[in-house]
């Protein structure tokens, strides 16, 4: 009888009610982490999920970079008219249709793009100039690498460059159509 009592006491010490195990009690932080990540994804999705539709045609110039800083694409058409954030279209038919990270407040993206194009049949013949301007620093303390994709009559050329600080300005290329 003494032996069975000690086995019973031993079993009671190891039973679940002695030390309750509750997944939610032990791993509540996992559920909280999932909720926080879900909310972050939901509220930040415009930064990386919103697709951009870029205009295209005879001539298309697209600037891309990886920061929240405001870089600007400038294109001079054959008549010398400048297309940029300040003057988003030209009499020759050129148009800036995407202006990312404007003033570090509008259309802010982690992977921003700016695009200037002339629709099919509208781009004039002559010499064009493509420039990139570092308009505003929005918290980046490093040089900004950028890429320019140039499409002229279906032929694509790519250029890479670096802007060191605000007000830095690079001539990327000039081309004749």
């Amino acid at each position: 009888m003494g032996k069975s009592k000690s086995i019973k006491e031993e079993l009671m010490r190891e039973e679940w009610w002695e030390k309750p195990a509750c997944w939610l009690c032990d791993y509540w932080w996992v559920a909280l982490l999932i909720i926080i990540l879900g909310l972050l994804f939901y509220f930040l999705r415009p930064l990386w999920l919103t697709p951009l539709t870029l205009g295209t045609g005879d001539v298309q110039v697209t600037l891309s970079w990886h920061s929240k800083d405001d870089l600007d694409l400038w294109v001079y058409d054959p008549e010398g008219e400048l297309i940029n954030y300040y003057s988003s279209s030209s009499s020759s038919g050129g148009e800036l249709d995407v202006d990312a990270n404007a003033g570090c407040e509008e259309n802010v993206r982690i992977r921003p793009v700016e695009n200037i194009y002339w629709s099919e049949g509208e781009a004039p013949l002559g010499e064009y100039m493509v420039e990139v301007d570092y308009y505003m620093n929005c918290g980046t303390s490093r040089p900004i690498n950028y890429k320019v994709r140039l499409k002229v009559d279906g032929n694509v050329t790519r250029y890479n460059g670096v802007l060191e600080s605000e007000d830095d300005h690079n001539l990327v290329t000039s081309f004749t159509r």
Side-chain angles (χ1 to χ4, degrees), residues 29 33 38 47-48 95 102 104-105 158 163 172:
W29 59 271
L33 183 63
L47 294 177
W48 63 83
E95 182 180 340
C104 304
E105 296 175 1
R158 299 179 194 290
L163 294 169
V172 176

Side-chain angles (χ1 to χ4, degrees), residues 41-71:
F41 178 79
Y42 178 78
F43 288 109
L44 296 178
R45 73 183 189 274
L47 294 177
W48 63 83
L49 292 180
T50 306
L52 285 176
T53 303
L54 303 177
T56 188
D58 294 330
V59 174
Q60 179 185 10
V61 185
T62 306
L63 166 67
S64 61
W65 67 101
H66 298 289
S67 80
K68 292 181 180 178
D69 298 296
D70 184 5
L71 302 187

